Amino acid sequence: MSVTFSEKYQPLFELLDGEYPEVETVLISGGRDSGKSFATGCFLGIAADDYDHRVLFTRHTMSSTNNSITRALDNRLELLGISEYFNFANNDYTHKTGKGLISITGQKTSSGDQTAKLKSLEGYSIFVTEEAEEMTNYDEWEKIKRSVRANDVRCLSLIIFNPPTKDHMLYTEFYQGVPDGFNGVIGNIMYIHTDYRDNGKDNMAQHNWNEYERLRKVYEKYSKLSKEDQAKCDKKIVKEAKNYKNTIAGAFRDIAEGVIFDYEIGEFNPYSLPTAFGMDFGFKDPTTLVEVAIDNKQKKLYLKEHFYKSGVLAEEVYLFIKDIVGLKLILGDAAKIDDITRLQNLGLNIEKCFKGGGLNGSSILPGIKAMQGFDIIVDPSSENLITELNNYCWDPRKVETPIDRHNHIVDGARYVVYDNEINAAQSLCIK
């Protein structure tokens, strides 16, 4: 049976014959129905069968390495007519006569908080990370990459992903200055990007093709508008245009999917409302300070970032913020009473926040819902706050549970807004 791919994958298969000798890492990205998993699955089957490659095929967590992976690989091997040459046991496809191997595992344990105990990696030649948008740590990925060091065939690392936000390590490590949808080689990295049009109409459900084409026309019409006209567009048109660009065409997002808060950029506190401050403490994570003004009548929430820095002690924080906050109220993380006490002793008007009740992280939900009741306006100089709001998301695997990332300065704002709510004040309660 003949299996064909988009011509964009030709350089990937040419790597098996020694082309592009400088390439060490291949980044394979795409949107929905782009065919990237199909093409790379076939590539791995050919690499193990015809070229004696040993493939370490991973997803981020062990829980992700389920039957769907083996079903997909079974399908690829069968389509290529080589399934009979492999034995399958214990998540390993072992070639019956050659050295070829495809071994399936996770980079993390199912809990996601410990590195999996991977097998000895010296004999492997191809390291694959699928669904790499789940990765959060470049150093951990690079450590595995360096451990894959076969000496009889070339070593390659493949990263397969649906583009996340520009705040993600994939973008910051590999895509700074690289155009959207780029295909080619830069340094020792090969970039391959495809979308549904590369996969072809015959390789997907007709209704999906029709919907993607409709969204493409919406996006193309929207993208030709001026910035001013885009700002006036119906929200449905804006949503569909962004859906096409990010989900279908596979461009990196400015804002993550499933973000918790909507916001707009604007002047901070234009009506000179009373303000208070929220503070979250960290050391490895940043210590943060955000100023908050609440217009309860108009349901508007104004936020301005003042401090966002890791590796600082309470005394250093005090020296930086004392002139900013003066005698105004600061609400700090109630779990950090030692830091709050130190700042009190230094003369700041700081108290512990009220987080709310509940188990399994639900104590933060009342504060989140209180913030969602306002139109949020963010001062344009608040770069870290904007980054957090663009990336603070609900966990798609758990009901009403935020992912515990991108929330250090957002938490400070939440402390103040929730205090405003439980005090049922018409303006901020300055104590």
Side-chain angles (χ1 to χ4, degrees), residues 90-375:
N90 300 320
N91 281 337
D92 286 349
Y93 290 84
T94 306
H95 203 278
K96 293 179 180 179
T97 58
K99 296 181 181 179
L101 170 70
I102 304 174
S103 184
I104 302 168
T105 188
Q107 295 179 25
K108 291 282 188 178
T109 60
S110 58
S111 65
D113 58 5
Q114 289 183 321
T115 302
K117 294 181 179 178
L118 299 174
K119 303 173 184 178
S120 174
L121 305 182
E122 291 186 7
Y124 286 98
S125 54
I126 298 178
F127 168 39
V128 182
T129 304
E130 192 181 52
E131 296 185 355
E133 63 272 17
E134 295 182 358
M135 291 196 308
T136 58
N137 191 306
Y138 174 80
D139 292 337
E140 290 179 357
W141 171 83
E142 188 176 52
K143 183 178 179 180
I144 300 173
K145 174 181 178 283
R146 289 174 174 172
S147 299
V148 172
R149 47 181 185 269
N151 55 23
D152 59 327
V153 287
R154 76 184 295 178
C155 291
L156 295 168
S157 293
L158 274 60
I159 300 178
I160 309 163
F161 64 99
N162 298 310
T165 67
K166 293 180 179 178
D167 183 61
H168 195 278
M169 53 81 65
L170 285 169
Y171 185 85
T172 57
E173 293 292 341
F174 298 111
Y175 281 87
Q176 294 277 11
V178 177
D180 284 346
F182 175 72
N183 283 269
V185 175
I186 300 176
N188 63 352
I189 300 173
M190 176 179 287
Y191 295 84
I192 298 174
H193 182 87
T194 54
D195 62 31
Y196 72 99
R197 292 169 294 182
D198 298 299
N199 192 15
K201 186 176 181 180
D202 294 336
N203 295 320
M204 67 187 73
Q206 181 67 43
H207 68 276
N208 283 342
W209 176 271
N210 293 341
E211 177 65 2
Y212 300 160
E213 284 290 280
R214 184 188 73 81
L215 291 172
R216 178 180 62 80
K217 292 173 184 176
V218 171
Y219 170 74
E220 290 178 351
K221 193 172 182 179
Y222 174 80
S223 63
K224 291 177 182 177
L225 298 175
S226 66
K227 294 290 184 182
E228 292 77 12
D229 288 337
Q230 286 181 357
K232 298 175 185 176
C233 268
D234 183 84
K235 288 184 178 180
K236 182 180 178 183
I237 293 175
V238 176
K239 183 177 180 181
E240 288 189 337
K242 290 181 178 179
N243 182 32
Y244 177 82
K245 179 181 178 182
N246 302 126
T247 305
I248 311 304
F252 279 92
R253 300 173 182 271
D254 293 314
I255 299 175
E257 190 171 6
V259 290
I260 295 172
F261 299 112
D262 292 324
Y263 72 95
E264 60 184 88
I265 304 296
E267 180 185 355
F268 176 73
N269 197 15
Y271 304 110
S272 300
L273 298 163
T275 67
F277 294 83
M279 175 171 279
D280 200 46
F281 296 98
F283 192 78
K284 182 178 179 182
D285 290 327
T287 293
T288 66
L289 182 76
V290 59
E291 188 172 8
V292 182
I294 301 177
D295 188 334
N296 285 295
K297 291 182 179 180
Q298 300 297 320
K299 301 302 290 183
K300 292 186 181 296
L301 171 63
Y302 298 92
L303 304 177
K304 183 175 182 178
E305 172 188 331
H306 285 285
F307 189 78
Y308 193 99
K309 191 173 183 180
S310 301
V312 290
L313 301 175
E315 291 74 14
E316 297 173 86
V317 175
Y318 167 76
L319 292 174
F320 188 90
I321 71 171
K322 63 183 179 70
D323 293 331
I324 296 171
V325 300
L327 297 177
K328 289 186 177 182
L329 174 67
I330 306 170
L331 291 174
D333 183 354
K336 300 291 186 178
I337 193 65
D338 288 347
D339 289 307
I340 290 173
T341 300
R342 289 190 187 96
L343 291 176
Q344 287 174 337
N345 292 337
L346 289 167
L348 294 184
N349 179 22
I350 182 169
E351 298 180 8
K352 67 179 182 180
C353 70
F354 182 81
K355 285 193 172 183
L359 300 174
N360 300 323
S362 63
S363 64
I364 68 175
L365 288 179
I368 287 175
K369 291 181 178 179
M371 285 184 66
Q372 289 176 325
F374 290 87
D375 293 329

Side-chain angles (χ1 to χ4, degrees), residues 60-81:
H60 188 58
T61 59
M62 289 294 289
S63 60
S64 297
T65 58
N66 52 32
N67 290 336
S68 65
I69 300 175
T70 58
R71 285 197 300 270
L73 281 172
D74 286 343
N75 174 266
R76 311 303 183 255
L77 298 178
E78 186 174 343
L79 281 174
L80 293 169

Side-chain angles (χ1 to χ4, degrees), residues 356-366 368 392 394-395 398-404:
L359 300 174
N360 300 323
S362 63
S363 64
I364 68 175
L365 288 179
I368 287 175
Y392 188 35
W394 295 110
D395 190 332
K398 300 176 183 177
V399 177
E400 289 196 322
T401 301
I403 298 174
D404 189 20

